[in-house]
Amino acid sequence: AIQMTQSPSSLSASVGDRVTITCRASHAIRVDLGWYQAKPGKAPKLLIYAASILQSGVPSRFSGSGSGTDFTLTISSLQPEDFATYYCLQDYNYPWTFGQGTKVEIK
Amino acid sequence: QVQLVQSGAEVKKPGASVKVSCEASGYTFTNHYMHWVRQAPGQGPEWMGMINPSGGNTNYAQNFQGRVTMTRDTSTNTIYLEVSSLRSEDTAVYYCARETRHGSGSSCDYWGQGTLVTVSS
């Protein structure tokens, strides 16, 4: 199975900050990666698919980049509603695998 | 609008089985693969497997081989997840999710509301 290594595991940031989260795949996965936001008691929400394509309805402050093994999720200006845990998910092959998550907390 | 509505919370004893349902509406059921993902308390999401609602073919994560069965009923646009030989570690929220394919790869663009399964003696 492809392993997804996400970093950092947590970070503290202030409203308005630029935040960057990275995900590294153990094998090349083209651009077959999505980013999801999870909040307690709610289903994960798709933010980015195919590494860099913004899902409809998601604010443009979210962006994704990367291909092969290295991927990045960037939040350009952190908003109060963005404090959550973020996960990458590779859909290159089965079994699909998630990163361990990055918890974004208020500084 | 696309909706995935899951069955209600369950409490089961160790060794028992549980069957969770997920009813889809607002789109053509057989056009999208469906996935099951679970999230245990304090843990990240874990992919369990997928089912093709059209042909019924499945692919399960190795961790669940032999204990998980995914089925579908095209007459009611519903998929099912059955987990047998439950243990305390199976306590989690179980989600169904719809897959949409893109030019390169796929994503889970719609999710059910989640079903809490508690395994406790």
Side-chain angles (χ1 to χ4, degrees), chain B residues 17 19 21 34 38 43-44 57 68 71 80 87-88 91 93 97 101 103 110 115 118:
Chain B
S17 297
K19 193 169 186 177
S21 67
M34 294 292 291
R38 76 177 187 181
Q43 304 292 314
N57 49 299
V68 157
T71 56
Y80 300 91
R87 34 205 188 229
S88 58
T91 294
V93 178
R101 291 189 163 182
Y110 286 92
T115 297
T118 303

Side-chain angles (χ1 to χ4, degrees), chain B:
Chain B
Q1 72 284 19
V2 174
Q3 281 195 298
L4 301 176
V5 179
Q6 297 183 223
S7 49
E10 303 264 11
V11 179
K12 295 291 183 181
K13 293 193 184 304
S17 297
V18 69
K19 193 169 186 177
V20 179
S21 67
C22 170
E23 182 178 358
S25 61
Y27 70 98
T28 302
F29 179 64
T30 51
N31 282 359
H32 293 260
Y33 289 4
M34 294 292 291
H35 297 254
W36 288 96
V37 171
R38 76 177 187 181
Q39 190 161 18
Q43 304 292 314
E46 182 178 21
W47 184 83
M48 300 181 69
M50 58 72 64
I51 182 167
N52 176 0
S54 179
N57 49 299
T58 56
N59 191 304
Y60 302 145
Q62 191 164 12
N63 285 352
F64 301 100
Q65 291 276 359
R67 274 208 314 136
V68 157
T69 304
M70 297 178 189
T71 56
R72 94 291 190 211
D73 182 344
T74 55
S75 69
T76 60
N77 290 355
T78 302
I79 62 169
Y80 300 91
L81 168 72
E82 185 166 21
V83 184
S84 62
S85 303
L86 287 166
R87 34 205 188 229
S88 58
E89 310 89 89
D90 294 317
T91 294
V93 178
Y94 290 75
Y95 294 100
C96 61
R98 186 188 85 160
E99 175 186 335
T100 290
R101 291 189 163 182
H102 315 287
S104 173
S106 306
S107 62
C108 285
D109 56 355
Y110 286 92
W111 295 66
Q113 83 276 19
T115 297
L116 174 62
V117 175
T118 303
V119 183
S120 174
S121 55

